[in-house]
Amino acid sequence: MFRLWARTFKDNHMLQDTCICDGSADTRTHKIFRALDEICVQFDLGKPIWLDKTVKDFKRHNKVRFYQDNFIEDIDFDYLEIQVIEEDS
């Protein structure tokens, strides 16, 4: 089972969170993008842009923060954080 945890923060307080589970046989990349799409629907957000720094951080730590620079529209929180909490065996 693949699980991705997403949270929004403002002033170091968590505003909302969700966990997306995916048991499909798809690739890890497809699971991440599909989970991020679902997160954006649940949180009513536009899709964030993956900048070079964002990709590098995610590859290194399995966790990344999307700040205002990653979004086209204004956001009402400081950042969206996503983290892989369980990978397929």
Side-chain angles (χ1 to χ4, degrees):
M1 180 65 69
F2 175 85
R3 293 191 310 154
L4 188 79
W5 187 23
R7 304 173 288 175
T8 58
F9 289 88
K10 181 159 181 89
D11 300 326
N12 290 327
H13 289 87
M14 185 171 58
L15 301 176
Q16 54 189 347
D17 74 320
T18 189
C19 185
I20 307 298
C21 301
D22 189 339
S24 70
D26 216 346
T27 65
R28 181 178 191 265
T29 303
H30 287 139
K31 290 178 183 182
I32 291 166
F33 285 123
R34 198 168 36 246
L36 188 56
D37 288 345
E38 189 171 331
I39 290 161
C40 290
V41 168
Q42 286 185 22
F43 291 173
D44 192 28
L45 297 172
K47 290 183 189 175
I49 299 166
W50 288 82
L51 303 173
D52 291 340
K53 180 187 181 318
T54 314
V55 173
K56 187 172 27 171
D57 287 346
F58 192 71
K59 285 180 180 178
R60 182 175 295 138
H61 305 292
N62 278 337
K63 177 165 92 171
V64 70
R65 291 179 177 175
F66 294 102
Y67 295 94
Q68 178 63 58
D69 293 347
N70 299 94
F71 292 92
I72 294 173
E73 70 279 346
D74 288 332
I75 55 174
D76 59 351
F77 51 86
D78 294 334
Y79 60 88
L80 164 69
E81 181 177 88
I82 64 170
Q83 178 179 4
V84 175
I85 55 175
E86 185 178 346
E87 295 260 7
D88 297 322
S89 299

